[in-house]
Amino acid sequence: MFTNNLRKNAAQLLSRCRRLSLKISIAESCTGGLISSCITACKDSSSVFERGYITYSNEAKEELLDVSITTLQSFGAVSAEVAIEMAEGALINAKSSLALAVTGVAGPGGGTSLKPVGLVFIACAFRDASDTRCQKFNFSGDREEIRLATVEQAILLGLKVLNENI
């Protein structure tokens, strides 16, 4: 399921975190656990991976990650604001050093003219950074392709944030 390049990037993220004694947590909506699965498919992931949250519903985002109901109502679940709150909630609640969060529309249904299929927000919170990074993507392809592209970009964002802050 995961390409060799994706596995290599996940292993690199784990290796960097291991050397720095950092723990990772993941908050996932549209990927439904694929990022956590990709990371834990790597050997020795248990020394770095703290926990994963699959928060598909708004209620789960509120209860497990402390995403504000006001944010959800104002911006919708698929938004930069929610992705950022998801990442920050995972960072705090899991007591980890690095947290990745994703929310989006993987399709094939569920898209609108304002939030089409393929729209994904990926956020990364790092305990030593002054702000949480968030990127917007408009992926193309079918559901599987969109979800795998999201996994890849989330891992790359984690690497980028580490490179910029350490």
Coordinates of all heavy atoms in Angstrom, one line a residue, residues 33-102:
G33 N -6.5 6.9 9.9 CA -5.5 6.1 10.5 C -4.3 5.7 9.6 O -3.4 5.1 10.1
L34 N -4.4 6.1 8.4 CA -3.3 5.8 7.4 C -1.9 6.3 7.8 O -0.9 5.7 7.6 CB -3.6 6.2 6.0 CG -4.6 5.3 5.3 CD1 -4.9 5.9 3.9 CD2 -4.1 3.9 5.1
I35 N -1.9 7.6 8.3 CA -0.6 8.1 8.7 C 0.0 7.3 9.9 O 1.2 7.0 9.9 CB -0.8 9.6 9.1 CG1 -1.3 10.4 7.9 CG2 0.6 10.2 9.6 CD1 -1.7 11.9 8.3
S36 N -0.8 7.1 10.9 CA -0.4 6.2 12.0 C 0.1 4.9 11.5 O 1.1 4.3 12.0 CB -1.5 6.1 13.0 OG -1.9 7.3 13.6
S37 N -0.7 4.3 10.6 CA -0.3 3.0 10.0 C 1.0 3.0 9.3 O 1.9 2.1 9.4 CB -1.4 2.5 9.1 OG -1.1 1.2 8.5
C38 N 1.2 4.1 8.5 CA 2.5 4.2 7.8 C 3.7 4.3 8.7 O 4.7 3.7 8.6 CB 2.4 5.4 6.9 SG 3.9 5.6 5.8
I39 N 3.5 5.1 9.8 CA 4.6 5.3 10.7 C 4.9 4.1 11.5 O 6.0 3.7 11.7 CB 4.2 6.5 11.7 CG1 4.4 7.8 10.9 CG2 5.1 6.5 12.9 CD1 3.9 9.1 11.6
T40 N 3.8 3.4 11.9 CA 4.0 2.2 12.7 C 4.4 1.0 11.9 O 4.8 -0.1 12.5 CB 2.8 1.9 13.6 OG1 1.6 1.7 12.8 CG2 2.5 3.0 14.6
A41 N 4.4 1.1 10.6 CA 4.9 0.0 9.7 C 6.4 0.0 9.7 O 7.0 -1.0 9.3 CB 4.3 0.2 8.3
C42 N 7.0 1.1 10.2 CA 8.5 1.2 10.3 C 9.0 0.5 11.5 O 8.3 0.6 12.6 CB 8.9 2.7 10.3 SG 8.5 3.6 8.8
K43 N 10.1 -0.1 11.4 CA 10.7 -0.8 12.5 C 11.1 0.2 13.6 O 11.4 1.4 13.3 CB 11.9 -1.6 12.2 CG 13.1 -0.8 11.7 CD 14.3 -1.7 11.4 CE 15.5 -0.8 11.0 NZ 16.7 -1.5 11.0
D44 N 11.0 -0.2 14.8 CA 11.3 0.6 16.0 C 10.5 1.9 16.2 O 10.9 2.8 16.8 CB 12.8 1.0 16.0 CG 13.7 -0.2 16.0 OD1 13.4 -1.2 16.7 OD2 14.8 -0.1 15.4
S45 N 9.3 1.9 15.6 CA 8.4 3.0 15.7 C 7.9 3.3 17.1 O 7.6 4.4 17.5 CB 7.2 2.9 14.8 OG 6.5 1.8 15.1
S46 N 7.9 2.2 17.9 CA 7.4 2.3 19.3 C 8.2 3.2 20.2 O 7.7 3.8 21.2 CB 7.2 1.0 19.9 OG 8.5 0.3 20.0
S47 N 9.4 3.5 19.8 CA 10.2 4.4 20.6 C 9.9 5.9 20.4 O 10.3 6.7 21.1 CB 11.7 4.1 20.4 OG 12.0 4.5 19.0
V48 N 9.1 6.1 19.3 CA 8.8 7.5 18.9 C 7.3 7.8 18.9 O 6.9 8.8 19.3 CB 9.4 7.8 17.5 CG1 9.0 9.1 17.0 CG2 11.0 7.7 17.5
F49 N 6.6 6.8 18.4 CA 5.1 7.0 18.2 C 4.4 7.0 19.5 O 4.4 5.9 20.2 CB 4.6 6.0 17.2 CG 3.1 6.3 16.8 CD1 2.8 7.3 16.0 CD2 2.1 5.5 17.3 CE1 1.5 7.5 15.6 CE2 0.8 5.7 17.0 CZ 0.5 6.7 16.1
E50 N 3.8 8.1 19.9 CA 3.1 8.1 21.2 C 1.6 7.6 21.0 O 1.2 6.7 21.7 CB 3.1 9.6 21.7 CG 2.2 9.8 22.9 CD 2.5 9.0 24.1 OE1 3.7 8.6 24.3 OE2 1.6 8.6 24.8
R51 N 0.9 8.2 20.1 CA -0.5 7.8 19.9 C -1.1 8.5 18.7 O -0.6 9.5 18.2 CB -1.4 8.1 21.1 CG -1.6 9.5 21.4 CD -2.4 9.8 22.6 NE -1.5 9.6 23.8 CZ -1.8 9.9 25.0 NH1 -3.0 10.3 25.3 NH2 -0.9 9.7 26.0
G52 N -2.2 7.9 18.2 CA -2.9 8.4 17.1 C -4.4 8.6 17.5 O -4.9 7.8 18.2
Y53 N -5.0 9.6 17.0 CA -6.4 9.9 17.2 C -7.1 9.9 15.8 O -6.6 10.5 14.9 CB -6.6 11.3 17.7 CG -5.9 11.6 19.0 CD1 -4.7 12.1 19.1 CD2 -6.6 11.4 20.2 CE1 -4.1 12.4 20.3 CE2 -6.1 11.7 21.4 CZ -4.8 12.2 21.5 OH -4.2 12.5 22.7
I54 N -8.1 9.1 15.7 CA -8.9 9.1 14.5 C -10.2 9.8 14.9 O -11.0 9.2 15.6 CB -9.2 7.7 13.9 CG1 -7.9 7.0 13.6 CG2 -10.1 7.8 12.7 CD1 -8.0 5.5 13.2
T55 N -10.3 11.0 14.4 CA -11.4 11.9 14.8 C -12.2 12.3 13.6 O -12.1 13.4 13.1 CB -10.9 13.1 15.6 OG1 -10.0 13.8 14.7 CG2 -10.2 12.8 16.9
Y56 N -13.0 11.3 13.2 CA -13.8 11.5 11.9 C -15.0 12.4 12.1 O -15.3 13.2 11.3 CB -14.3 10.1 11.5 CG -14.1 9.9 10.0 CD1 -12.9 9.8 9.4 CD2 -15.2 9.7 9.2 CE1 -12.7 9.6 8.1 CE2 -15.1 9.5 7.8 CZ -13.8 9.4 7.3 OH -13.7 9.2 5.9
S57 N -15.6 12.4 13.3 CA -16.7 13.2 13.6 C -16.3 14.5 14.2 O -15.3 14.6 14.9 CB -17.8 12.5 14.4 OG -17.2 12.3 15.8
N58 N -17.2 15.5 14.1 CA -16.9 16.8 14.9 C -16.9 16.5 16.4 O -16.1 17.1 17.1 CB -18.0 17.8 14.5 CG -17.8 18.3 13.1 OD1 -16.8 18.1 12.4 ND2 -18.8 19.1 12.7
E59 N -17.8 15.7 16.8 CA -17.8 15.4 18.3 C -16.5 14.8 18.7 O -16.0 15.1 19.8 CB -19.0 14.4 18.5 CG -19.2 14.1 20.0 CD -20.4 13.2 20.3 OE1 -20.3 12.0 19.8 OE2 -21.4 13.7 20.9
A60 N -15.9 13.9 18.0 CA -14.6 13.3 18.3 C -13.5 14.4 18.3 O -12.7 14.4 19.2 CB -14.3 12.2 17.3
K61 N -13.6 15.3 17.4 CA -12.6 16.4 17.4 C -12.7 17.2 18.6 O -11.7 17.6 19.2 CB -12.8 17.3 16.1 CG -12.4 16.6 14.8 CD -12.8 17.5 13.6 CE -12.5 16.8 12.3 NZ -13.2 15.6 12.0
E62 N -13.9 17.5 19.0 CA -14.2 18.3 20.3 C -13.7 17.5 21.5 O -13.0 18.0 22.3 CB -15.7 18.6 20.4 CG -16.2 19.6 19.4 CD -17.7 19.7 19.6 OE1 -18.2 20.1 20.7 OE2 -18.5 19.4 18.6
E63 N -14.2 16.3 21.6 CA -13.9 15.5 22.8 C -12.5 15.1 23.0 O -11.9 15.1 24.1 CB -14.8 14.2 22.9 CG -16.2 14.5 23.1 CD -17.1 13.3 23.0 OE1 -16.6 12.1 22.9 OE2 -18.3 13.4 23.0
L64 N -11.8 14.6 22.0 CA -10.5 14.1 22.1 C -9.4 15.1 21.8 O -8.3 14.9 22.4 CB -10.3 12.9 21.1 CG -11.2 11.7 21.3 CD1 -11.1 10.7 20.2 CD2 -11.0 11.1 22.6
L65 N -9.6 16.1 21.1 CA -8.6 17.1 20.7 C -8.9 18.5 21.1 O -8.1 19.4 20.8 CB -8.4 17.1 19.2 CG -8.0 15.7 18.6 CD1 -8.0 15.7 17.1 CD2 -6.6 15.3 19.1
D66 N -10.0 18.7 21.8 CA -10.4 20.0 22.3 C -10.5 21.1 21.2 O -10.3 22.3 21.4 CB -9.3 20.6 23.3 CG -9.2 19.6 24.5 OD1 -10.3 19.2 25.0 OD2 -8.1 19.4 25.0
V67 N -11.0 20.6 20.0 CA -11.3 21.5 18.9 C -12.6 22.3 19.4 O -13.5 21.7 19.8 CB -11.5 20.8 17.6 CG1 -12.0 21.8 16.5 CG2 -10.2 20.1 17.1
S68 N -12.5 23.6 19.2 CA -13.7 24.4 19.7 C -14.9 24.2 18.8 O -14.8 24.2 17.5 CB -13.2 25.9 19.6 OG -14.3 26.7 19.7
I69 N -16.0 24.1 19.4 CA -17.3 24.0 18.6 C -17.5 25.3 17.8 O -18.0 25.3 16.7 CB -18.5 23.7 19.5 CG1 -19.7 23.4 18.7 CG2 -18.8 24.9 20.5 CD1 -20.9 22.8 19.5
T70 N -17.0 26.4 18.3 CA -17.1 27.7 17.6 C -16.3 27.6 16.3 O -16.8 28.1 15.3 CB -16.7 28.9 18.5 OG1 -17.5 28.9 19.7 CG2 -16.8 30.2 17.8
T71 N -15.1 27.1 16.4 CA -14.3 26.9 15.2 C -15.0 26.0 14.2 O -15.0 26.3 13.0 CB -12.9 26.4 15.6 OG1 -12.3 27.3 16.6 CG2 -12.0 26.3 14.4
L72 N -15.5 24.9 14.7 CA -16.2 24.0 13.8 C -17.4 24.6 13.1 O -17.6 24.5 11.9 CB -16.6 22.7 14.5 CG -15.5 21.8 14.9 CD1 -15.9 20.8 16.0 CD2 -15.0 21.0 13.7
Q73 N -18.1 25.4 13.9 CA -19.3 26.0 13.3 C -19.0 27.2 12.4 O -19.6 27.4 11.4 CB -20.2 26.5 14.4 CG -20.9 25.4 15.2 CD -21.7 25.9 16.4 OE1 -21.5 27.0 16.9 NE2 -22.6 25.0 16.9
S74 N -17.9 27.9 12.7 CA -17.5 29.1 11.9 C -16.8 28.7 10.6 O -17.0 29.4 9.6 CB -16.6 30.0 12.7 OG -17.3 30.5 13.9
F75 N -16.0 27.7 10.7 CA -15.1 27.4 9.5 C -15.4 26.0 8.9 O -15.0 25.8 7.8 CB -13.6 27.5 9.9 CG -13.2 28.8 10.4 CD1 -13.1 29.0 11.8 CD2 -13.0 29.9 9.6 CE1 -12.8 30.3 12.3 CE2 -12.6 31.1 10.1 CZ -12.5 31.3 11.4
G76 N -16.1 25.2 9.6 CA -16.3 23.8 9.1 C -15.2 22.9 9.5 O -14.0 23.3 9.7
A77 N -15.5 21.6 9.5 CA -14.4 20.6 9.8 C -13.3 20.6 8.9 O -12.1 20.3 9.3 CB -15.1 19.2 9.9
V78 N -13.5 20.9 7.6 CA -12.4 20.9 6.6 C -12.0 22.4 6.5 O -12.5 23.2 5.7 CB -12.9 20.4 5.3 CG1 -11.8 20.4 4.2 CG2 -13.4 18.9 5.4
S79 N -11.0 22.8 7.3 CA -10.5 24.1 7.3 C -9.1 24.2 8.0 O -8.8 23.3 8.7 CB -11.5 25.1 8.1 OG -11.5 24.7 9.5
A80 N -8.4 25.2 7.7 CA -7.1 25.4 8.3 C -7.2 25.5 9.8 O -6.4 25.0 10.6 CB -6.4 26.6 7.7
E81 N -8.2 26.3 10.2 CA -8.4 26.5 11.6 C -8.7 25.3 12.4 O -8.1 25.1 13.5 CB -9.6 27.5 11.8 CG -9.4 28.9 11.3 CD -9.6 29.0 9.8 OE1 -10.0 28.1 9.1 OE2 -9.3 30.2 9.2
V82 N -9.4 24.3 11.9 CA -9.7 23.1 12.5 C -8.4 22.2 12.5 O -8.1 21.6 13.5 CB -10.9 22.3 11.9 CG1 -11.0 20.9 12.4 CG2 -12.2 23.1 12.3
A83 N -7.7 22.2 11.4 CA -6.5 21.4 11.3 C -5.5 21.8 12.4 O -4.9 21.0 13.1 CB -5.9 21.5 9.9
I84 N -5.4 23.2 12.5 CA -4.5 23.7 13.5 C -4.9 23.3 14.9 O -4.1 22.9 15.7 CB -4.4 25.2 13.4 CG1 -3.6 25.6 12.1 CG2 -3.7 25.9 14.6 CD1 -3.7 27.0 11.7
E85 N -6.2 23.4 15.2 CA -6.6 23.1 16.6 C -6.5 21.6 16.8 O -6.2 21.1 17.9 CB -8.1 23.5 16.8 CG -8.2 25.0 17.0 CD -9.6 25.5 17.5 OE1 -10.3 24.7 18.0 OE2 -9.9 26.7 17.2
M86 N -6.7 20.8 15.8 CA -6.4 19.3 15.9 C -5.0 19.0 16.3 O -4.7 18.2 17.2 CB -6.8 18.6 14.6 CG -8.3 18.5 14.3 SD -8.7 17.9 12.7 CE -8.1 16.1 12.9
A87 N -4.1 19.6 15.6 CA -2.6 19.4 15.8 C -2.3 19.9 17.2 O -1.5 19.2 17.9 CB -1.8 20.1 14.8
E88 N -2.7 21.1 17.6 CA -2.4 21.6 18.9 C -3.0 20.7 20.0 O -2.4 20.5 21.1 CB -2.8 23.0 19.0 CG -1.9 23.9 18.1 CD -2.4 25.4 18.0 OE1 -3.5 25.7 18.5 OE2 -1.7 26.2 17.4
G89 N -4.2 20.2 19.8 CA -4.9 19.4 20.8 C -4.1 18.1 20.9 O -4.0 17.6 22.0
A90 N -3.7 17.5 19.8 CA -2.9 16.2 19.9 C -1.6 16.5 20.6 O -1.2 15.6 21.4 CB -2.7 15.7 18.5
L91 N -0.9 17.6 20.3 CA 0.3 17.9 21.0 C 0.2 18.0 22.5 O 0.9 17.4 23.2 CB 0.9 19.2 20.4 CG 2.3 19.6 20.8 CD1 3.3 18.8 20.1 CD2 2.5 21.1 20.6
I92 N -0.9 18.7 22.9 CA -1.1 18.9 24.4 C -1.6 17.6 25.0 O -1.1 17.2 26.1 CB -2.0 20.1 24.6 CG1 -1.4 21.4 24.1 CG2 -2.5 20.2 26.0 CD1 -2.3 22.6 24.0
N93 N -2.7 17.0 24.5 CA -3.3 15.9 25.1 C -2.4 14.7 25.1 O -2.5 13.9 26.1 CB -4.6 15.6 24.4 CG -5.7 16.7 24.7 OD1 -5.6 17.4 25.7 ND2 -6.6 16.9 23.8
A94 N -1.6 14.5 24.1 CA -0.7 13.3 24.1 C 0.6 13.6 24.8 O 1.4 12.7 24.9 CB -0.5 12.9 22.7
K95 N 0.9 14.9 25.1 CA 2.1 15.2 25.7 C 3.3 14.8 24.8 O 4.3 14.3 25.3 CB 2.3 14.7 27.1 CG 1.2 15.2 28.1 CD 1.3 14.5 29.5 CE 0.3 15.0 30.4 NZ -1.1 14.6 30.1
S96 N 3.1 15.1 23.5 CA 4.1 14.7 22.6 C 4.9 16.0 22.2 O 4.6 17.1 22.7 CB 3.5 14.1 21.3 OG 2.6 14.9 20.7
S97 N 5.9 15.8 21.4 CA 6.8 16.9 21.0 C 6.4 17.4 19.6 O 6.6 18.6 19.3 CB 8.2 16.4 20.9 OG 8.6 15.8 22.1
L98 N 5.8 16.5 18.8 CA 5.5 16.8 17.4 C 4.1 16.2 17.1 O 3.9 15.1 17.5 CB 6.5 16.3 16.4 CG 6.3 16.5 15.0 CD1 6.7 18.0 14.6 CD2 7.2 15.6 14.1
A99 N 3.2 17.0 16.6 CA 1.9 16.5 16.2 C 1.5 16.8 14.8 O 1.7 18.0 14.4 CB 0.8 17.0 17.2
L100 N 1.0 15.9 14.1 CA 0.5 16.1 12.7 C -1.0 15.9 12.7 O -1.5 15.0 13.4 CB 1.1 15.1 11.7 CG 2.6 15.2 11.6 CD1 3.1 14.0 10.8 CD2 3.0 16.5 10.8
A101 N -1.7 16.7 12.0 CA -3.2 16.6 11.9 C -3.6 16.8 10.5 O -3.1 17.7 9.7 CB -3.8 17.6 12.8
V102 N -4.6 16.1 10.1 CA -5.2 16.2 8.7 C -6.7 16.2 8.8 O -7.3 15.5 9.5 CB -4.7 15.1 7.8 CG1 -3.2 15.2 7.6 CG2 -5.1 13.7 8.2

